[in-house]
Amino acid sequence: MRVNCSGDAPCRLTVCRGCCCGTRKKVPGVDHEAQLARLSTIEDHTGRTVPVRRSDCLDRCSEANVVVVQPSARGRAAGGRPVWLGRVTDDHLVEALDDWIFEGGPGLTPLPEALRAHVISKGAEKPGKGGKVKKDGALRTDPVQEKDGKGTRTEKRKKREKADKHRKKREKAEKKARKKREKAAEAARRAERGDGAAPSAA
């Protein structure tokens, strides 16, 4: 979906795919093209597809695969900064990234627990007001956020359930359409053989 106003720009992703990131030699056992394709399907809560830029090298080769999450316009206005993630090689990390962006991303929503150990940018700020960054770039959580964490998790779960509901509804519609096409094709084959009635007009 096109964004007509830069003030309402969605989050953006920069994905490293060069000498190390995205290569079987450096990171074996990962379908890197499938991962890139999956990242390209991420949408925010308004249904806007998140732009993905492919970079030849982000100079963090020891942390392959590297993904940089740029905050949305609203997230940046709230204090969000780019968050660098390393060792993004498992599907559950991509799903966590998808959920985070769907809920707001940097500046608007706390970083998911699954991604905390993968933050590699020393200057990255924690999305939200409750977190701080250690000198080594790892994130820690303030007691205030721990206190409010239950409500945050509840809201996140509700949003995931809503997204799952829409996804299942779409899959059901696609399955129904596929069966309808298969039925029409079978009717056409029978008509050609002369052993069945011609398919009715759509």
Side-chain angles (χ1 to χ4, degrees), residues 37-178:
R38 173 66 182 87
L39 290 169
S40 300
T41 66
I42 292 179
E43 298 180 347
D44 64 12
H45 70 283
T46 66
R48 298 177 299 183
T49 300
V50 172
V52 176
R53 183 173 73 87
R54 184 170 180 165
S55 174
D56 288 337
C57 186
L58 293 174
D59 199 26
R60 299 302 297 269
C61 298
S62 63
E63 302 288 351
N65 290 340
V66 176
V67 177
V68 182
V69 186
Q70 301 281 349
S72 65
R74 288 183 58 234
R76 188 172 292 277
R81 295 293 180 269
V83 176
W84 289 54
L85 301 171
R87 307 181 305 284
V88 182
T89 56
D90 295 326
D91 291 341
H92 80 277
L93 297 175
V94 177
E95 293 303 320
L97 178 58
D98 189 341
D99 290 343
W100 183 35
I101 291 177
F102 180 82
E103 292 159 13
L108 300 177
T109 308
L111 187 72
E113 188 66 33
L115 297 177
R116 289 178 180 272
H118 293 266
V119 174
I120 60 175
S121 50
K122 294 182 179 180
E125 294 183 3
K126 187 178 186 306
K129 298 180 180 179
K132 295 183 179 180
V133 182
K134 292 183 178 180
K135 291 182 178 180
D136 59 1
L139 291 170
R140 62 183 176 86
T141 307
D142 285 351
V144 174
Q145 186 174 352
E146 290 293 341
K147 183 177 179 181
D148 296 335
K150 185 175 181 180
T152 300
R153 287 195 296 271
T154 299
E155 292 174 1
K156 290 172 66 177
R157 183 176 67 252
K158 288 182 178 180
K159 289 180 180 179
R160 278 198 300 270
E161 289 174 352
K162 185 177 180 180
D164 288 339
K165 184 177 180 180
H166 287 308
R167 190 178 299 114
K168 290 178 180 178
K169 186 176 180 179
R170 184 172 63 251
E171 291 174 351
K172 184 177 180 181
E174 291 174 352
K175 184 177 181 180
K176 185 176 181 180
R178 184 169 60 253

Side-chain angles (χ1 to χ4, degrees), residues 180 184 198-202:
K180 186 175 181 180
S200 58

